[in-house]
Amino acid sequence: MSAIHAPELVTQELLELTRSLGRPERDLVILAEGNTSQLLDDGRVVVKASGSNMASATSDDFVTVEVGPFVDLLQRENCTQDEVTAALDAGVVGGQRRRGSIEALVHVAVQAVSPAGFVGHTHPTAILGLMASVRAQEAYGYWVYSDEAVVIGRPLYVPYASPGIELGQVFYHALRGYADQYGQLPQLVLLGNHGIVAIAPTAAGVDGISAMAVKGAQVRAAAYAVGGVSPVPAESVAKFLARADISERRGNLAKGQF
């Protein structure tokens, strides 16, 4: 069995992040949408269970998985969804089946490419509007204001793939390509017709990246509505990010010091 139900491994940080991203007024998820995860010191990942609500999540609403077996599934071309579903099954606990989210492969893929403390996957309405539009791939290909560049950096766009093994494999290979090109993970991944993935060493970092991504979507939508986006010049952003004070700020933001 690759997944276990171990509520004692769920930290308060992970619970608070999950509930924060699930708050209805933030419009990031509804019903049982979205999921979060945390990397443990021993290399395992605690990830939200399928069917649980983020806003009201408790330690019972998570399972813990080993990364290795899922990396094998991500790398195997003939892997089936049934195999993934079985691997995510932590059994019946208290009369309820506990199984890792169908999108757990997204969280495992992050750790397989480059370990990160926390991952948050949500479906913000503001961003979905762009990700379901004809401008999806180009929308975040430039920055629309300076703080967005500081907090989010250079995002990665991944075209739509069906949630489960298909998305997991597409996501995994896209992450590897990004890491090979830039030497690090993206802080924000945009999923076509789907949502976003925020990656950071801290829970506060994931929360902040998610919030900034939504603001960026709202700015873009407003700009498109009045004729189009006039992006911040890439050369100006490069000089801005090269400044010592901004580099220090980016380092603090990555740690969740907003």
Side-chain angles (χ1 to χ4, degrees):
M1 181 181 290
S2 299
I4 62 170
H5 182 251
E8 69 277 8
L9 297 177
V10 182
T11 67
Q12 191 61 31
E13 277 184 293
L14 180 57
L15 279 177
E16 290 176 358
L17 171 63
T18 305
R19 293 167 182 166
S20 176
L21 295 179
R23 280 163 37 204
E25 67 271 21
R26 297 187 70 177
D27 194 23
L28 303 180
V29 294
I30 63 171
L31 304 176
E33 285 185 340
N35 33 79
T36 53
S37 69
Q38 180 178 4
L39 178 66
L40 299 179
D41 291 339
D42 62 8
R44 291 182 295 173
V45 176
V46 179
V47 63
K48 189 181 81 75
S50 178
S52 56
N53 188 297
M54 290 179 69
S56 58
T58 71
S59 57
D60 277 329
D61 295 318
F62 292 83
V63 300
T64 299
V65 302
E66 300 278 353
V67 171
F70 288 97
V71 174
D72 292 340
L73 298 179
L74 286 170
Q75 294 177 336
R76 182 154 55 80
E77 291 184 6
N78 63 348
C79 177
T80 68
Q81 186 57 48
D82 286 344
E83 290 179 88
V84 175
T85 300
L88 289 170
D89 193 348
V92 177
V93 181
Q96 183 176 353
R97 182 163 297 282
R98 299 293 182 178
R99 181 184 294 122
S101 166
I102 191 174
E103 292 160 336
L105 289 179
V106 165
H107 298 262
V108 170
V110 171
Q111 308 307 337
V113 174
S114 183
F118 290 85
V119 178
H121 168 50
T122 57
H123 307 155
T125 301
I127 296 176
L128 270 173
L130 291 177
M131 292 299 101
S133 77
V134 295
R135 298 187 183 275
Q137 187 164 359
E138 70 176 63
Y140 283 79
Y142 38 71
W143 293 284
V144 294
Y145 62 106
S146 56
D147 265 8
E148 178 186 52
V150 173
V151 175
I152 290 178
R154 183 185 290 104
L156 168 66
Y157 173 79
V158 178
Y160 179 78
S162 180
I165 185 60
E166 182 182 338
L167 172 60
Q169 291 183 335
V170 169
F171 185 85
Y172 172 68
H173 291 296
L175 271 188
R176 287 193 63 86
Y178 184 104
D180 289 345
Q181 182 175 358
Y182 299 111
Q184 61 184 17
L185 289 173
Q187 292 170 267
L188 175 68
V189 183
L190 301 145
L191 304 176
N193 293 88
H194 189 144
I196 63 171
V197 179
I199 305 167
T202 66
V206 167
D207 199 279
I209 291 165
S210 301
M212 186 63 78
V214 169
K215 181 173 182 178
Q218 294 168 335
V219 170
R220 284 166 172 80
Y224 287 139
V226 292
V229 171
S230 177
V232 178
E235 299 81 3
S236 177
V237 172
K239 291 179 182 178
F240 180 67
L241 295 181
R243 284 169 31 183
D245 60 326
I246 299 303
S247 294
E248 179 182 5
R249 186 178 171 213
R250 279 182 59 79
N252 290 336
L253 290 171
K255 299 172 186 175
Q257 299 171 5
F258 291 94

